[in-house]
Amino acid sequence: MIDSYEKIKIAVPKNIKTIIERDCESFDFRKKDNSLNKNKFINTLIVNYYEEFSNFEKERIEKLKKLAISSSLKGKNVENFIYKIIKEEEKDNKNREELNESISFRPTKNSIYIIDYIENNLLINSYLSEYFRRLFTHYSSLPQYQRERIIFKNQYNKALEAIKNKKMINVFTLNNVNNRIPLKIYNLAVVKEETYNYLLCKDKNGYRSFRLSKIEEILFLNETSSFNDEEIAHFKKMIKYGPQYIYTSKDEEVEIELTKKGINYFKKYYVYRPIVDRIEGYHYFFNCSIEHLFQYFSRFGAECYVIKPKSLRVRLIMYFKNSYRELNKKEKTI
């Protein structure tokens, strides 16, 4: 069995290490001093993903076995055929991308027995380092929202169970300590950029949206939930226009006039760009979240002007005024 204090070092291509480190930051794995907790992240990845990944490898081997048998191979020749193909693939991958980076971690009490199981049962004529390299590579090939579901497997599975059984829940995050009230959970939604998953819920005060990677725990309550047509329509709007933003029943259509430069900005700034419902010349009409529009168009400066609602127009104007005033103060001190 692996010594729980033994450090494991895996050689990987630079892009694989970059994705894993970026996920560690995006999913907020941090120590008390706010530095990234890479060791905890890697161990969580292994614990939550080894079973799914191993099933993927088993299916792949079964397909290779069928290919070998169809080629009239038998007995030991089948295993040799499979082993040769896997090794050739790994060799090709090494040739395409140099293994010039490394990922290091120490097993923890949560992962040590699983790593021991992997070493004794799942290596398939390979070394432990090769297995982990394949696991990291396969994980990194997935879209970010799927990777988030893997890292937060417990929360994800509980959310699915609550949705399926129409269970009322409490959601525990670091930010809702004083606001843990019963929630009806409607569904999980993925932002259009395929980065994060959001739990769409409703409590007695209104509609709520929780990012999966911000959830510490989900607690099932005894009550069950249901939704009327108005609530369902509201959730569908959230899914269409962006589940990460807050929507209210008082939201109205937004009309924004863009300059020629503003239109170019709108085409250029595609990340988290709001869905436009219709365009009339230089006038763009939206039905998405007011907060979404404020965050997006705060980068446009004088290249956009809010026709309606007045509240958003005033908010943007005050934002630009305050920004100018603060920057002007700093300029005078230089």
Side-chain angles (χ1 to χ4, degrees):
M1 180 175 174
I2 293 174
D3 181 354
S4 58
Y5 296 100
E6 180 183 353
K7 197 170 188 177
I8 299 174
K9 188 175 182 179
I10 315 298
V12 295
K14 183 177 180 180
N15 69 308
I16 301 300
K17 183 176 182 179
T18 299
I19 290 172
I20 287 175
E21 289 186 344
R22 189 176 62 201
D23 280 2
C24 181
E25 183 173 11
S26 296
F27 300 151
D28 214 20
F29 275 68
R30 295 187 180 277
K31 301 176 184 177
K32 290 182 179 179
D33 64 0
N34 208 37
S35 62
L36 293 179
N37 196 336
K38 297 176 185 178
N39 197 69
K40 182 180 179 181
F41 180 84
I42 295 298
N43 279 284
T44 301
L45 168 55
I46 291 168
V47 169
N48 287 0
Y49 194 48
Y50 86 95
E51 189 173 6
E52 183 181 338
F53 174 69
S54 296
N55 288 334
F56 165 79
E57 288 217 315
K58 285 177 185 177
E59 290 177 6
R60 181 164 164 263
I61 288 171
E62 285 302 315
K63 290 178 181 178
L64 290 174
K65 278 184 180 178
K66 290 179 181 179
L67 179 61
I69 292 170
S70 69
S71 302
S72 301
L73 297 177
K74 295 180 180 179
K76 196 72 176 176
N77 290 330
V78 173
E79 291 183 14
N80 292 336
F81 173 80
I82 294 170
Y83 180 73
K84 183 179 179 181
I85 288 180
I86 291 174
K87 286 298 179 183
E88 285 296 325
E89 287 180 355
E90 289 180 355
K91 184 178 178 181
D92 288 343
N93 289 334
K94 287 180 182 179
N95 290 335
R96 281 199 302 270
E97 298 177 275
E98 290 185 30
L99 304 180
N100 52 6
E101 297 285 346
S102 65
I103 293 174
S104 300
F105 69 98
R106 293 184 188 276
T108 64
K109 63 180 181 180
N110 294 324
S111 67
I112 187 65
Y113 296 108
I114 287 172
I115 294 172
D116 183 60
Y117 173 79
I118 292 170
E119 187 175 38
N120 288 291
N121 297 278
L122 302 177
L123 295 189
I124 315 170
N125 294 322
S126 64
Y127 295 105
L128 187 62
S129 60
E130 293 174 330
Y131 176 89
F132 283 135
R133 184 161 49 248
R134 294 198 304 273
L135 184 148
F136 295 153
T137 299
H138 194 263
Y139 167 84
S140 300
S141 71
L142 301 171
Q144 184 178 313
Y145 79 94
Q146 290 186 17
R147 304 199 302 267
E148 185 186 33
R149 293 176 180 181
I150 290 166
I151 300 302
F152 298 91
K153 183 179 179 180
N154 177 60
Q155 294 91 321
Y156 176 66
N157 287 339
K158 282 190 173 183
L160 292 182
E161 185 179 346
I163 294 165
K164 179 181 178 181
N165 297 319
K166 299 180 179 179
K167 282 278 189 181
M168 295 280 288
I169 62 171
N170 269 149
V171 171
F172 292 79
T173 72
L174 294 177
N175 297 323
N176 74 337
V177 176
N178 298 315
N179 190 30
R180 290 169 179 166
I181 55 181
L183 292 160
K184 298 192 298 182
I185 178 171
Y186 176 72
N187 212 334
L188 272 161
V190 179
V191 300
K192 66 177 182 177
E193 290 80 10
E194 297 189 341
T195 49
Y196 298 109
N197 301 268
Y198 283 83
L199 270 68
L200 305 185
C201 305
K202 188 175 187 295
D203 62 26
K204 63 181 181 180
N205 297 318
Y207 296 89
R208 306 288 300 281
S209 177
F210 297 90
R211 199 173 94 186
L212 184 63
S213 51
K214 295 294 185 182
I215 296 172
E216 300 285 324
E217 183 60 273
I218 294 175
L219 179 67
F220 297 142
L221 305 180
N222 291 327
E223 301 95 328
T224 57
S225 63
S226 61
F227 298 95
N228 59 38
D229 291 344
E230 182 181 346
E231 290 172 327
I232 292 172
H234 191 100
F235 282 122
K236 286 182 177 179
K237 178 179 179 179
M238 292 176 72
I239 293 170
K240 177 180 179 180
Y241 291 108
Q244 67 270 49
Y245 300 104
I246 298 298
Y247 300 78
T248 72
S249 57
K250 297 179 181 180
D251 288 346
E252 58 183 285
E253 184 180 63
V254 176
E255 180 182 356
I256 295 179
E257 182 180 5
L258 297 178
T259 64
K260 287 184 178 180
K261 187 180 286 189
I263 292 173
N264 288 331
Y265 285 169
F266 191 78
K267 293 176 181 177
K268 179 181 177 181
Y269 301 155
Y270 60 87
V271 177
Y272 298 121
R273 180 170 56 202
I275 295 174
V276 59
D277 284 285
R278 71 180 194 278
I279 301 172
E280 296 177 3
Y282 291 92
H283 292 245
Y284 284 57
F285 296 83
F286 304 88
N287 280 291
C288 54
S289 164
I290 297 295
E291 184 63 30
H292 185 182
L293 293 170
F294 172 77
Q295 291 180 17
Y296 182 80
F297 284 107
S298 62
R299 295 177 290 175
F300 282 54
E303 309 308 325
C304 76
Y305 180 77
V306 178
I307 305 297
K308 62 176 184 178
K310 181 180 178 181
S311 58
L312 177 59
R313 178 170 70 248
V314 171
R315 187 180 174 189
L316 279 170
I317 290 171
M318 292 307 298
Y319 172 78
F320 298 138
K321 278 186 176 180
N322 291 335
S323 297
Y324 172 77
R325 184 166 57 248
E326 291 303 314
L327 289 172
N328 200 38
K329 284 181 184 178
K330 292 180 180 180
E331 184 70 17
K332 289 178 180 179
T333 62
I334 297 175

